[in-house]
Amino acid sequence: MQQATLAIIKPDAIKKNIIGQIVRRIEENDLAVVAMKMVHLSRKMAESFYYVHRERPFFASLTQFMSEAPVVLMVLRGENAISRWRDIMGATDPAKAKEGTIRKLFGESIERNAVHGSDGPESAGFEIGYFFSAVELVR
Ligand code: CMP
């Protein structure tokens, strides 16, 4: 099934200058980048994006982190793109992520974990629409 998912290269990865290394892994795994932009999120933008986590103890720290430096936002398209991008990222906690995954390679902690990916079709719809309008998606 062809799907679209939202991918974010997070502030920790931007500061490490590894945008290209992450995009290369997306391309090598046959996912297509169909929209891309770099933005510096405000605290409010980060809070609204992670609204589902508002009750979590890490919410304040997470939204501070996500607004401390720019991020790269992408829409990825491909066969089963949602679960495939999650496999390429690895587990949320880099310490538990499999060898060769992006979070194992580049994540610093469960919070500063280099990348984000939508966790299902419903969140992908919300997350893509939050950052991109229809004319920004090339296919
Ligand atoms: P992400 O996939 O973007 O979804 C929610 C984010 O919250 C997650 O990646 C981490 O950056 C962060 N996160 C999840 N669990 C924790 C935790 N226990 N402590 C701190 N941050 C967390």
Side-chain angles (χ1 to χ4, degrees):
M1 183 199 353
Q2 283 290 312
Q3 283 181 329
T5 190
L6 184 84
I8 305 179
I9 304 177
K10 294 186 179 184
D12 58 323
I14 302 295
K15 288 176 169 178
K16 291 192 183 97
N17 240 356
I18 54 171
I19 294 170
Q21 295 190 54
I22 292 172
V23 172
R24 178 165 62 78
R25 285 175 167 78
I26 291 168
E27 294 178 337
E28 281 173 354
N29 282 278
D30 234 12
L31 289 170
V33 178
V34 298
M36 183 182 229
K37 59 189 170 190
M38 191 171 199
V39 297
H40 194 145
L41 298 178
S42 66
R43 187 76 183 263
K44 281 214 158 22
M45 283 287 281
E47 286 171 354
S48 302
F49 178 75
Y50 279 122
Y51 183 75
V52 292
H53 296 308
R54 66 194 177 283
E55 308 289 350
R56 303 285 192 95
F58 56 81
F59 184 68
S61 168
L62 172 64
T63 54
Q64 160 61 37
F65 159 56
M66 289 299 289
S67 54
E68 76 178 31
V71 296
V72 170
L73 305 167
M74 289 173 283
V75 178
L76 311 181
R77 199 178 315 276
E79 192 67 19
N80 298 317
I82 295 172
S83 65
R84 282 178 49 223
W85 172 230
R86 292 179 70 78
D87 289 345
I88 298 161
M89 288 194 298
T92 305
D93 183 352
K96 295 180 182 151
K98 286 191 188 139
E99 290 299 327
T101 61
I102 291 172
R103 284 166 167 166
K104 181 73 176 187
L105 284 164
F106 304 122
E108 295 168 23
S109 68
I110 194 166
E111 178 170 282
R112 304 177 74 87
N113 60 359
V115 282
H116 167 84
S118 308
D119 66 6
E122 200 180 321
S123 59
F126 164 76
E127 292 179 357
I128 292 168
Y130 187 76
F131 288 121
F132 293 95
S133 62
V135 292
E136 293 177 294
L137 305 178
V138 297
R139 64 191 125 122

